[in-house]
Amino acid sequence: MSSELNVPMGSPTPGGSERMQDGGGMDYRDWVRRSYLELVSSNHHSVQALSWRKLYLSRAKLKASSRTSALLSGFAMVAMVEVQLEMQYSYPRVLLIAFSVCTTVLVAVHLFALLISTCILPNVEAVSNIHNLNSVSESPHERMHHYIELAWGFSTALGILLFLAEVVLLCWIKFLPVDSGGANQVALAAAELALATMNCSSNSASGAAKPPKPTVVPQHSGWQAALASTIIMVPVGVIFVMFTIHFYRSLVRHKTERHHQEIEELHKIKVQLDGQERGLQAV
């Protein structure tokens, strides 16, 4: 009984006298009541500390998602506007459709995450700036928890994957017309015209045979550059997906361990309270 109640050294046992020998000490019943109030108060403060930690975490997620979404959506819009298509080159239809769909979905996903962050963040900021422990219940971060996680996932996981795909498609659109058939035909026509102008008089006077037409061998350097960017980006995307899965699994494992520790602490508090209740009943 004395080990469960954590009775201090020199204090009387429940079966002994209820007063301390000096006469100025407290009653055993008062000591148990004060210990009970201290436990309840410490538990209340720990719950409030947990709520404030969740509030600060939600605020940090909203700020990060808003900054990331604004930056990446701006880059996607600039890429859509500033890209210059070669009119003399016939792009594959699938490539143009994929680039248009990827850019549109990328901007829509980031704008949706930015909308959630813009709507929820001011309410969370207003509560976090109040220096009052009891004001944490006024914040909507607990009720809007699913929306905050949705904005965080759209901005970081899905949004960055779409941005990587956007870079690959942009490389294909930019480099594919280089050394293409249309450009080779223009270069061949210019070379033929220059050669005919330079050798017109000499060929007519000497009666020599006409030189063969110059031929331009396609180098396919644009196709090779686009393929190189794709080869580089595929392992980067795989590493990004693996890191995301590993990070979230580690985070879930950490939260699970923390919950187990909190459950053990609550069980210890319950054991102590049950021991104090039995001590009060014995007194």
Side-chain angles (χ1 to χ4, degrees):
M1 181 69 70
S2 61
S3 61
E4 292 183 352
L5 295 176
N6 294 325
V7 180
M9 296 296 295
S11 61
T13 58
S17 175
E18 294 182 356
R19 296 284 182 179
M20 295 184 68
Q21 295 177 358
D22 295 337
M26 68 176 66
D27 188 276
Y28 176 75
R29 192 188 299 268
D30 295 334
W31 176 79
V32 173
R33 187 180 296 111
R34 190 182 70 174
S35 301
Y36 173 77
L37 292 176
E38 288 178 356
L39 286 173
V40 173
S41 178
S42 63
N43 188 24
H44 178 67
H45 287 303
S46 63
V47 170
Q48 283 189 342
L50 179 61
S51 299
W52 277 102
R53 185 179 62 184
K54 290 181 179 179
L55 186 143
Y56 288 136
L57 179 61
S58 300
R59 185 181 68 172
K61 285 184 175 181
L62 290 173
K63 285 184 176 181
S65 62
S66 63
R67 288 195 297 263
T68 306
S69 297
L71 185 65
L72 295 184
S73 61
F75 281 161
M77 288 300 298
V78 170
M80 172 70 83
V81 173
E82 295 296 331
V83 64
Q84 296 179 359
L85 300 178
E86 296 291 338
M87 297 303 175
Q88 299 177 354
Y89 180 74
S90 178
Y91 288 93
R93 182 180 178 183
V94 178
L95 180 61
L96 294 178
I97 294 175
F99 179 73
S100 176
V101 171
C102 183
T103 305
T104 306
V105 174
L106 174 63
V107 174
V109 165
H110 282 297
L111 288 182
F112 183 68
L114 186 61
L115 173 65
I116 296 176
S117 302
T118 306
C119 292
I120 303 178
L121 186 59
N123 299 284
V124 177
E125 286 278 2
V127 176
S128 63
N129 293 328
I130 299 175
H131 301 287
N132 187 3
L133 293 177
N134 297 323
S135 62
V136 67
S137 60
E138 300 177 4
S139 176
H141 68 281
E142 291 287 349
R143 179 170 294 182
M144 300 294 179
H145 173 71
H146 297 289
Y147 296 102
I148 295 173
E149 293 297 329
L150 183 64
W152 174 255
F154 276 3
S155 179
T156 55
L158 182 59
I160 295 180
L161 281 176
L162 289 174
F163 189 78
L164 294 178
E166 176 84 4
V167 172
V168 173
L169 293 174
L170 188 61
C171 288
W172 279 98
I173 289 179
K174 194 68 178 178
F175 295 126
L176 197 59
V178 178
D179 293 339
S180 61
N184 290 335
Q185 290 179 2
V186 173
L188 181 61
E192 288 179 354
L193 181 60
L195 186 62
T197 303
M198 291 173 59
N199 299 329
C200 180
S201 57
S202 60
N203 289 336
S204 59
S206 60
K210 217 182 224 188
K213 293 183 180 181
T215 58
V216 179
V217 179
Q219 301 294 328
H220 301 290
S221 59
W223 185 85
Q224 293 174 359
L227 183 62
S229 65
T230 306
I231 293 175
I232 293 173
M233 197 61 67
V234 167
V236 172
V238 173
I239 293 173
F240 174 78
V241 172
M242 292 176 61
F243 172 76
T244 304
I245 296 174
H246 174 71
F247 171 75
Y248 278 103
R249 289 184 63 182
S250 301
L251 187 62
V252 169
R253 189 182 301 112
H254 173 70
K255 288 184 177 180
T256 305
E257 292 176 357
R258 287 294 304 167
H259 286 320
H260 282 305
Q261 292 178 1
E262 291 175 0
I263 290 173
E264 290 178 358
E265 291 177 359
L266 291 175
H267 180 68
K268 291 179 181 178
I269 293 173
K270 178 181 179 299
V271 170
Q272 292 178 359
L273 293 178
D274 291 340
Q276 291 177 0
E277 184 179 358
R278 287 195 299 269
L280 285 174
Q281 291 177 358
V283 173

